[in-house]
C-alpha cells in the first residue's frame, strides 16, 4: 500500500504542476484504472468509485468483473460489512478467489459484481444510522437507504461501459434489509431483487427483540457497527469466559451496558428507550412499508429454516406482498435447511444434521441464478416456483403454489406430560417455579455468543441438556405410526398463569428421534443421534404484551391468559417412530434478557430486588386447552 500511495502522490504532483490539465474524474470510460494492486495477468478488472448521492455524500463502491465482459448485467450488494473486504477475500489474481463463493457462477457468466459501503461506514462518507428508517416521521432528512439505492443504481446503469444497464440487488441480513429498501420507490433500472434473511421488523422477530424479549448479543453487534466506522476490533473483547455468568452477575441488561461503558451509543439508547412496539418500531417495519406500495420488482425472498437471527423477515414480507402478485409470477419464497445466511455458504450439513449434497449450492445454481438470468439477461423463463422449500426429515426440495401449505391442526398438551392430536379431555395444569436467578441456558455452558461454532447451530442443538430440569416442562406424544408433514409456521396457543406480575413464555417444538436410531436413518442421522431432541422451532413471548404490543400491562397473579404467537416457518416431516415434543419454560438465557417476573415499567432499568421467583402454571384440556397448531399437509 505504501508504493501505491507514493505513486498516487507523484501522479497528483504532476497533474497540479501542469496548469492546463483538467481535474481527474474517477470512473469515466477514459479513466477506469483501479487503485488496487491488480496485476496485468489477473483475469479480472476491479474499480473503485465514490458515487455521489443527492445530498452530496459519496459512497465507496467496488466494481468487479471478468476481463472481456461486455453487455453484462450488474448485481449489487449494499452492505455495512466492508465493500473492500468483500471483494478482497484472498490476495489472488483470479476473480473467483477474491469474491464470496456465491459470486463465482455469476462473474464467470459475464455478470458485473458491485459492493457498496452504506453511508457512514468503512470508506463511505456521511453519518451512519442503524437500520436508517424510510424518510418520513422517523427520518426528516429526506435521504434513506431507498434514496441511496435509487441514486446508486441510476449511476451504475449509466457509468459502467461494460454493463447492459440492467441491475439486480442481493444481500443477506443487513444487506437483505438494504435490498428490500431498494424496492421502495425503485429506480427503473432495478429489474430483480433477492433479499436473503432480511432484517424487517426488529421488534417482532428480527435481531433486536422477539415478541418484546431483548436479544443480548445485539449489544456487541451495535457497538461494533457504531465504533470507528465499523472497522475490525471495534466490538468489545471479552475473551473466552462464560456469557451466562457474565450477564447474570451484571444484573439487568441496562446494568450490563452501563458496566461495559456502552450505554451511550445512540442505537443502544434507542433500544433501551423503546422496549414496547411503539411507532418507533411499527413505522419502520419494512413489511408494512412494502404492503403500502405496489409490487413492481420481481422478488425472491430467502430464509433458513433454522435462521438464528432473522427468521421473521422474509415470510413477513411474503405475506405482505403475496396479495399483490396477481399472476403468481412476481414473488417467490425460499426456505432452505440453513442457518442465518447459510444460503451463501456450503449446505451439506448443519450441526448434527446432514443433507443430500450441497443444498445451498444446488439452490444457487438451479434457482437463484436462473432467476437473475431471466430478468437481467433475457434468458428463457425458468418458471421460478412461487414457493420452494426443503423438507427436512426426508431431505427433498418441494415446489408449492402458496405458503403456508398446511392446515392448522391442534397438537394438544395433556395430563402426565403427554401430547397428541386428540383432545386431552378434562382440564388441569402443570406447575414449575421459574427463578430468574437460575435461568435456563439456551446452550450447554460455558456459553460464548461470539463463538461462531456455537452461535451458527444453536437452533438445532440437542435439547436433552435441559430436559429434566424442574423449570422445564416436556409434553411428548407417542411414537408416530405414520409420518406427519408440516409446511408453515406452527402457531402457539398457550394458556398459562403466573404468581408474579410479568413473565416470559418460551415454547419449543421438538422432533424426538427413536432411542435406537441407526446411523444414516431418516434425516442424515449421524452416530450418536439416538434419542436426539431436534428443535424444529423455538420462540419466546414477553407476557406484559399479551393484551397490547404497544402498551405493556402488569399480569394479574394467578389469572389464566391465552398467549398467541408463531414459531418460525418450516417444512419438516416427523418420521414414523419419532415423537413430537412440546417444551415450555420461562427463560432462555443469556440469549434473551431476563424478565424480573415482577412488573417494572422498563425491564432495562430493573433493579436487583425486582427479580423474583414465580410459580408458573401451564393449562391443558377443557376451555384452556394449550396446543401448538401444526400446519399439517397430507
Amino acid at each position: 500500500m505504501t508504493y501505491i500511495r507514493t505513486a498516487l502522490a507523484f501522479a497528483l504532483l504532476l497533474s497540479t504542476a501542469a496548469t492546463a490539465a483538467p481535474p481527474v474524474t474517477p470512473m469515466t470510460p477514459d479513466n477506469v484504472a483501479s487503485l488496487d494492486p491488480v496485476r496485468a495477468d489477473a483475469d479480472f478488472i476491479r474499480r473503485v468509485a465514490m458515487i455521489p448521492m443527492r445530498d452530496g455524500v459519496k459512497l465507496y463502491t467496488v466494481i468487479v468483473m471478468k476481463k472481456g465482459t461486455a453487455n453484462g448485467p450488474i448485481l449489487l450488494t449494499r452492505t455495512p460489512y466492508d465493500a473492500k473486504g468483500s471483494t478482497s477475500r484472498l490476495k489472488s489474481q483470479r476473480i473467483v478467489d477474491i469474491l464470496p463463493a456465491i459470486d463465482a457462477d455469476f462473474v464467470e457468466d459475464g455478470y458485473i459484481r458491485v459492493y457498496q459501503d452504506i453511508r457512514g461506514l468503512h470508506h463511505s462518507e456521511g453519518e451512519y444510522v442503524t437500520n436508517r428508517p424510510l424518510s418520513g416521521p422517523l427520518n426528516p432528512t429526506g435521504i434513506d437507504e431507498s434514496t441511496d439505492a435509487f441514486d446508486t443504481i441510476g449511476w451504475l446503469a449509466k457509468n459502467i461501459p461494460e454493463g447492459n444497464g440492467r441491475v439486480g440487488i442481493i444481500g443477506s441480513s443487513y444487506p437483505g434489509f438494504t435490498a428490500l429498501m431498494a424496492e421502495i420507490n425503485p429506480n427503473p433500472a432495478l429489474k430483480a431483487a433477492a433479499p436473503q434473511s432480511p432484517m424487517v421488523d426488529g421488534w417482532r422477530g428480527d435481531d433486536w427483540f422477539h415478541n418484546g424479549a431483548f436479544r443480548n448479543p445485539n449489544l456487541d453487534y451495535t457497538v461494533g457497527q457504531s465504533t470507528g466506522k465499523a472497522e475490525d476490533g471495534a466490538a468489545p473483547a471479552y475473551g473466552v469466559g462464560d456469557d451466562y455468568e457474565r450477564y447474570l452477575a451484571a444484573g439487568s441488561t441496562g446494568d450490563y451496558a452501563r458496566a461495559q461503558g456502552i450505554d451511550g451509543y445512540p442505537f443502544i439508547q434507542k433500544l433501551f428507550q423503546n422496549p414496547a412496539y411503539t411507532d418507533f418500531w411499527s413505522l419502520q417495519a419494512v413489511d408494512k412499508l412494502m404492503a403500502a406500495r405496489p409490487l413492481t420488482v420481481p422478488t425472491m425472498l430467502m430464509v433458513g429454516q433454522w435462521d438464528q437471527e432473522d427468521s421473521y423477515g422474509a415470510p413477513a414480507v411474503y405475506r405482505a406482498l403475496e396479495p399483490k402478485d396477481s399472476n403468481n409470477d412476481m414473488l417467490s419464497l425460499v426456505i432452505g435447511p440453513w442457518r442465518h445466511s447459510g444460503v451463501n455458504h456450503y449446505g451439506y450439513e448443519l450441526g448434527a444434521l446432514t443433507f443430500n449434497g450441497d443444498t445451498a449450492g444446488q439452490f444457487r445454481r438451479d434457482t437463484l441464478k436462473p432467476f437473475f438470468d431471466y430478468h437481467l439477461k433475457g434468458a428463457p423463463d425458468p418458471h421460478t416456483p412461487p414457493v420452494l422449500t426443503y423438507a427436512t426429515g426426508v431431505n427433498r426440495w418441494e415446489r408449492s403454489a402458496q405458503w403456508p401449505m398446511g392446515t392448522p391442526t391442534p397438537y394438544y398438551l395433556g395430563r402426565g406430560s403427554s401430547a397428541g392430536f386428540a383432545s386431552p379431555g378434562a382440564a388441569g395444569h402443570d406447575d414449575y417455579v421459574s427463578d430468574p436467578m437460575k435461568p435456563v441456558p439456551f446452550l450447554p455452558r460455558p456459553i460464548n455468543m461470539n463463538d461462531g461454532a456455537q452461535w451458527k447451530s444453536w437452533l438445532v442443538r440437542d435439547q436433552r441438556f435441559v430436559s429434566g430440569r424442574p423449570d422445564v416442562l416436556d409434553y411428548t406424544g407417542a411414537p408416530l405410526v405414520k409420518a406427519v408433514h408440516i409446511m408453515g409456521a406452527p402457531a402457539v396457543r398457550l394458556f398459562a398463569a403466573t404468581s408474579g406480575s410479568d413473565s416470559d413464555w418460551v415454547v419449543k417444538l421438538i422432533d424426538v428421534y427413536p432411542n435406537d436410531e441407526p446411523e444414516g436413518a431418516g434425516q442424515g442421522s449421524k452416530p450418536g443421534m439416538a434419542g436426539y431432541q431436534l428443535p424444529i422451532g423455538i420462540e419466546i413471548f414477553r407476557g406484559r404484551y399479551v393484551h397490547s404490543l404497544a402498551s405493556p400491562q402488569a399480569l394479574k397473579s394467578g389469572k389464566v391468559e391465552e398467549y398467541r404467537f408463531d414459531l418460525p416457518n418450516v417444512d419438516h416431516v416427523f418420521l414414523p417412530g419419532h415423537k413430537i415434543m412440546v417444551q415450555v419454560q420461562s427463560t432462555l438465557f443469556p440469549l434473551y434478557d431476563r424478565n424480573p417476573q415482577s412488573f417494572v415499567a422498563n425491564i432495562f432499568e430493573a433493579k436487583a430486588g425486582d427479580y423474583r421467583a414465580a410459580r408458573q402454571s401451564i393449562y391443558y384440556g377443557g376451555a384452556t386447552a394449550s396446543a401448538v397448531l401444526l400446519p399439517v399437509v397430507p
Side-chain angles (χ1 to χ4, degrees), residues 449-604:
M449 292 184 287
N450 288 320
D451 181 332
Q454 283 193 4
W455 180 246
K456 291 173 183 177
S457 62
W458 76 264
L459 272 176
V460 296
R461 189 64 180 256
D462 188 348
Q463 295 300 296
R464 284 178 290 186
F465 79 98
V466 296
S467 287
R469 278 184 61 124
D471 50 0
V472 177
L473 297 181
D474 297 336
Y475 295 90
T476 310
L480 296 171
V481 296
K482 62 179 182 179
V484 173
H485 189 179
I486 61 173
M487 298 178 72
V492 174
R493 301 293 182 262
L494 185 72
F495 290 91
T498 177
S499 65
S501 52
D502 198 4
S503 179
D504 288 349
W505 306 102
V506 178
V507 173
K508 306 174 185 175
L509 178 65
I510 296 172
D511 184 343
V512 182
Y513 281 56
N515 204 37
D516 56 354
E517 177 83 355
E519 178 182 350
Q523 183 177 293
S525 303
K526 294 181 179 179
M529 288 197 72
Y532 199 94
Q533 294 182 4
L534 172 66
I536 304 304
I538 301 176
E539 196 51 274
I540 189 170
F541 188 93
R542 183 142 286 176
R544 59 177 49 208
Y545 301 111
V546 64
H547 298 298
S548 171
L549 302 182
S551 301
Q553 301 172 19
L555 300 176
K556 293 183 179 180
S557 179
K559 182 183 178 183
V560 180
E561 300 278 9
E562 182 183 8
Y563 298 91
R564 291 174 170 249
F565 56 99
D566 290 344
L567 302 180
N569 284 265
V570 298
D571 182 349
H572 182 73
V573 179
F574 297 89
L575 295 172
H578 289 225
K579 301 175 184 177
I580 302 176
M581 173 189 284
V582 176
Q583 208 170 67
V584 183
Q585 58 199 62
S586 291
T587 47
L588 198 63
F589 188 75
L591 174 64
Y592 293 101
D593 65 336
R594 293 175 300 147
N595 191 318
Q597 301 183 162
S598 61
F599 186 85
V600 293
N602 187 329
I603 289 179
F604 291 117

Side-chain angles (χ1 to χ4, degrees), residues 213-388:
F214 181 70
R215 291 165 66 90
N216 283 319
N218 292 303
L219 294 178
D220 291 358
Y221 173 85
T222 299
V223 173
Q225 289 300 107
S226 304
T227 304
K229 299 191 76 172
E231 297 305 314
D232 289 343
Y238 302 125
V240 294
D242 186 355
D243 284 337
Y244 184 101
E245 179 62 32
R246 182 178 292 117
Y247 275 90
L248 187 62
S252 71
T253 293
D255 288 336
Y256 176 88
R258 285 184 283 272
Q260 299 296 331
I262 60 176
D263 56 309
Y265 283 84
F267 192 70
I268 290 180
Q269 290 185 342
K270 290 179 182 178
L271 292 171
F272 289 1
Q273 292 164 6
N274 295 278
Y277 196 59
T278 56
D279 287 349
F280 175 80
W281 296 109
S282 61
L283 291 181
Q284 62 178 298
V286 183
D287 57 326
K288 295 179 176 62
L289 296 174
M290 300 192 76
R293 292 164 172 81
L295 173 62
T296 59
V297 179
T299 301
M300 178 179 288
L301 298 157
M302 290 161 274
V303 69
Q305 182 160 297
W306 287 287
D307 190 312
Q308 77 278 14
E309 296 176 27
D310 295 301
S311 61
Y312 180 88
V317 173
Y318 176 83
R319 288 193 301 272
L321 294 182
E322 198 277 334
K324 304 174 185 294
D325 187 13
S326 56
N327 294 324
N328 213 18
D329 60 359
M330 285 280 288
L331 180 67
S332 296
L333 175 66
V334 177
I335 302 175
W338 310 312
R339 60 170 173 87
H340 182 68
S341 298
V343 63
N344 296 323
H345 303 282
Y346 292 107
Y348 295 101
E349 61 183 10
L350 180 63
L353 306 179
T354 57
F355 309 112
N356 289 340
D358 179 6
T359 57
Q362 294 164 4
F363 163 74
R364 297 195 304 264
R365 180 189 66 241
D366 299 339
T367 305
L368 179 61
K369 186 172 180 296
F371 166 79
F372 277 118
D373 288 349
Y374 175 58
H375 293 291
L376 302 185
K377 298 179 70 174
D381 188 349
H383 300 290
T384 302
V387 179
L388 181 68

Side-chain angles (χ1 to χ4, degrees), residues 62-66 73-77 83 85-89 94-115 168-172 196 343-345 360-361 364-365 368-369 372-373:
V62 182
I63 301 156
V64 184
M65 70 191 80
K66 195 92 177 239
I74 301 164
L75 191 58
L76 167 67
T77 295
S86 297
T87 55
S88 307
R89 294 298 179 99
R94 298 198 318 147
I95 193 168
V96 296
D97 293 337
I98 69 167
L99 292 175
I102 189 176
D103 293 332
D105 288 342
F106 288 101
V107 294
E108 291 285 10
D109 193 32
Y111 278 72
I112 299 166
R113 197 66 175 95
V114 179
Y115 284 84
I169 193 164
I170 191 172
S172 184
Q196 305 161 316
V343 63
N344 296 323
H345 303 282
R364 297 195 304 264
R365 180 189 66 241
L368 179 61
K369 186 172 180 296
F372 277 118
D373 288 349

Side-chain angles (χ1 to χ4, degrees), residues 153-177:
I153 290 168
W155 191 98
L156 294 173
K158 295 176 182 178
N159 289 278
I160 299 180
E162 299 88 349
N164 66 4
R166 301 173 70 86
V167 180
I169 193 164
I170 191 172
S172 184
S173 195
Y174 202 120
F177 159 72

